[in-house]
Amino acid sequence: MKVLCSGLNVVDLLVLVPSNIKIGQKNECDRIVLQGGAPAGNAACALASLGHDTSFLGYFGNNLLSSVAIDELTRHGVNVDFFIEKEDATPAIAIVQVDDAGERTVFYSTENYIPFSPKDFNKEDLNGFNLILVDGYDTEINSHLLELANRLGIKSVLDMEASDHDTMKKMIGLCTHAVLPLEAAQKVSGEQDVVKALRAVSELTDAQVVITDGVEGAFALNNKQVIHQPSFKVDVVDTTGCGDSFHAAYASGLLQGFTLEERLYYASYYASQVAEHFGGRTFLPTKDFMDKNCSFKINA
């Protein structure tokens, strides 16, 4: 199965912050890790790890951040077909502070980051792809991709964390599967309650809508009935990339022909395994791992 991922390209510097920080002094940290990051990039790596033929759209220049981002994507098996060299282009960069409880504080910069342009992607480029996964950051190219996928009858998964209200409504209306964090669903629907937000967003689109709410699990509608998939209880080390991996596993389940309930279970279990490690790409379960360890019987 061929998958195309598109969205913000980021390099993460993750720091496990000591409990007692001495301001203005040097502080030894137990872990500092340099990894690729961002929703679409992390999802691309997870989908490749799950055995899908996965490509990622991105501009890269002749600089350290670009080298790190390329190495991080390719070491997980992501294809380089749509890596385009562009002078002075760099990924965005983020510093992710993680405390002892796994809570994150993120500082980021998009200086010199250039979103992928629709001019560099044609309708014919989607030939042979079975699914696209896009985020809500690089909205111009991702709206373009959703429109093309819509015309060609290609499945699409939207991972939209934030954008302006009109763009969110447009992209939710174009995709076939909208998997949104609760905060985004609240913003676009105006409803604070998760079930009310779920129903309101579902009325805006023919897409299958899923709302994720961290430890509270995931929610979806099946024939207007609410489905709740609880999160798996694990020893959380770091939640970086958990939402991204949820989207990837959901998309993989879709390609594998799973039911909605099975997709939610599969995605929740996958994300729980990522949360047990420091960094969003440190441990990305393979399909073999999932086949051996993820059972749907618990929902029977």
Side-chain angles (χ1 to χ4, degrees), residues 102-279:
E103 290 294 324
R104 299 180 306 143
T105 303
V106 181
F107 305 88
Y108 68 94
S109 171
T110 56
E111 183 180 6
N112 294 327
Y113 176 74
I114 304 174
F116 204 92
S117 171
K119 295 178 181 178
D120 287 328
F121 194 92
N122 301 313
K123 178 182 176 181
E124 295 73 25
D125 292 328
L126 270 182
N127 288 342
F129 280 96
N130 305 99
L131 181 143
I132 67 168
L133 185 150
V134 301
D135 71 17
Y137 291 103
D138 291 358
T139 55
E140 185 180 11
I141 178 61
N142 291 341
S143 294
H144 177 64
L145 290 171
L146 288 174
E147 288 169 350
L148 291 178
N150 211 311
R151 272 185 257 156
L152 295 169
I154 298 172
K155 295 181 178 70
S156 55
V157 174
L158 171 64
D159 175 1
M160 175 160 276
E161 294 181 343
S163 189
D164 66 85
H165 188 267
D166 290 343
T167 300
M168 292 177 78
K169 287 183 66 175
K170 176 186 176 182
M171 295 180 73
I172 290 169
L174 286 170
C175 68
T176 62
H177 294 260
V179 185
L180 312 175
L182 177 57
E183 185 177 356
Q186 289 170 333
K187 180 177 179 180
V188 75
S189 69
E191 299 285 355
Q192 295 305 300
D193 176 75
V194 62
V195 174
K196 289 182 179 179
L198 175 64
R199 294 191 183 279
V201 176
S202 297
E203 290 178 1
L204 300 175
T205 179
D206 293 329
Q208 174 64 63
V209 177
V210 176
I211 293 179
T212 59
D213 189 19
V215 296
E216 300 302 323
F219 300 81
L221 291 179
N222 190 1
N223 294 322
K224 298 186 178 181
Q225 298 299 310
V226 177
I227 300 171
H228 176 224
Q229 171 60 56
S231 61
F232 285 82
K233 306 306 177 186
V234 296
D235 293 327
V236 174
V237 174
D238 176 21
T239 58
T240 301
C242 289
D244 312 332
S245 61
F246 182 101
H247 287 79
Y250 180 94
S252 178
L254 186 62
L255 290 171
Q256 293 181 64
F258 293 169
T259 66
L260 174 60
E261 290 88 345
E262 290 170 343
R263 293 196 297 271
L264 295 177
Y265 186 96
Y266 193 78
S268 296
Y269 182 81
Y270 195 96
S272 74
Q273 302 307 294
V274 174
E276 290 188 304
H277 299 81
F278 185 69

Side-chain angles (χ1 to χ4, degrees), residues 42-59:
N42 285 340
C45 292
L47 281 159
S49 295
L50 283 166
H52 300 287
D53 185 2
T54 307
S55 298
F56 179 81
L57 297 185
Y59 293 138

Side-chain angles (χ1 to χ4, degrees), residues 72-122:
E72 280 287 291
L73 289 162
T74 56
R75 79 182 177 92
H76 288 286
V78 177
N79 298 327
V80 301
D81 317 43
F82 297 102
F83 290 9
I84 295 180
E85 186 175 342
K86 187 176 283 289
E87 188 177 2
D88 298 328
T90 73
I93 186 168
I95 298 174
V96 184
Q97 291 186 181
V98 184
D99 65 22
D100 292 340
E103 290 294 324
R104 299 180 306 143
T105 303
V106 181
F107 305 88
Y108 68 94
S109 171
T110 56
E111 183 180 6
N112 294 327
Y113 176 74
I114 304 174
F116 204 92
S117 171
K119 295 178 181 178
D120 287 328
F121 194 92
N122 301 313

